[in-house]
Amino acid sequence: MHPFEGFLDRVRRDGGTIVARIVTGGFDPKPDIHPVLLVTVEEPVEVEALYAELLRAKDLDDGCHFALNSGTEAVLTTDHGNEIVLRGVRVTVMECQYDENDFERLAKQNHEWGMSQHKALAKESARLLRVRQLLQDQHSRISVKIQGHEAGTTAHTLYEQHLSFLARVLAEPDA
């Protein structure tokens, strides 16, 4: 079996057996390889300590690297370098597809991402509107000021240039 990278999704203990579910990091709805491993450790060495260590790794939501060394031993190494040795009478690995909980998690993540994008867009749109209002106010003020200067004067020329620049800036978002 090839090494597997993902995160601990679930850990359960059923008497003298521990089952750990490892899911790949990214979520590809149609993966080329099986995205889930079910690792079963029968009669693990120091069952209580192993179970507690796996639960800690799961709660940290750490990524992990899994390798099956033999039929009685596997190693799970977290992204933070914690090495958890899964040793028992038998260690088996079953490759699986996503289940309904994975798709539910994906739907929630997509919804949260969409909501965060909507919120960010609304915030940036409000900022852009405020900048546009400031530029329009400046344009109005200069339009009044230019009327007090005759064409051809330095002040009139500078005000014309400023109005031209403001008009270009105000037109840019619509381009």
Side-chain angles (χ1 to χ4, degrees), residues 15-165:
T17 302
I18 293 177
V19 178
R21 185 173 190 270
I22 306 170
V23 180
T24 57
F27 192 95
D28 179 358
K30 293 183 178 181
D32 294 332
I33 61 169
H34 292 286
V36 177
L37 291 184
L38 283 179
V39 181
T40 303
V41 184
E42 296 175 26
E43 298 180 36
V45 175
E46 299 181 24
V47 65
E48 292 296 330
L50 177 60
Y51 183 63
E53 201 169 358
L54 287 170
L55 286 177
R56 249 188 321 278
K58 178 197 162 299
D59 290 342
L60 288 174
D61 201 22
D62 245 359
C64 63
H65 177 84
F66 175 83
L68 182 64
N69 295 340
S70 69
T72 60
E73 182 180 286
V75 177
L76 187 100
T77 307
T78 69
D79 284 347
H80 289 102
N82 297 331
E83 192 173 276
I84 303 170
V85 178
L86 309 167
R87 190 176 297 125
V89 171
R90 185 167 38 167
V91 176
T92 57
V93 178
M94 186 170 66
E95 296 177 324
C96 306
Q97 292 296 328
Y98 293 120
D99 66 14
E100 64 279 354
N101 292 328
D102 297 316
F103 287 105
E104 182 180 340
R105 181 174 46 245
L106 175 64
K108 286 179 182 177
Q109 287 172 346
N110 283 342
H111 177 72
E112 289 169 3
W113 178 82
M115 293 304 291
S116 73
Q117 294 303 298
H118 174 74
K119 185 178 177 180
L121 178 61
K123 181 181 176 184
E124 291 306 311
S125 294
R127 288 179 62 195
L128 182 58
L129 180 61
R130 181 68 184 130
V131 167
R132 187 175 190 80
Q133 290 168 341
L134 289 169
L135 290 168
Q136 287 169 336
D137 289 347
Q138 184 67 7
H139 192 279
S140 296
R141 284 190 198 103
I142 293 172
S143 295
V144 170
K145 286 184 177 188
I146 199 171
Q147 294 172 7
H149 301 276
E150 289 185 32
T153 64
T154 303
H156 192 273
T157 303
L158 289 174
Y159 286 140
E160 277 181 334
Q161 291 172 349
H162 198 169
L163 286 172
S164 174
F165 171 74

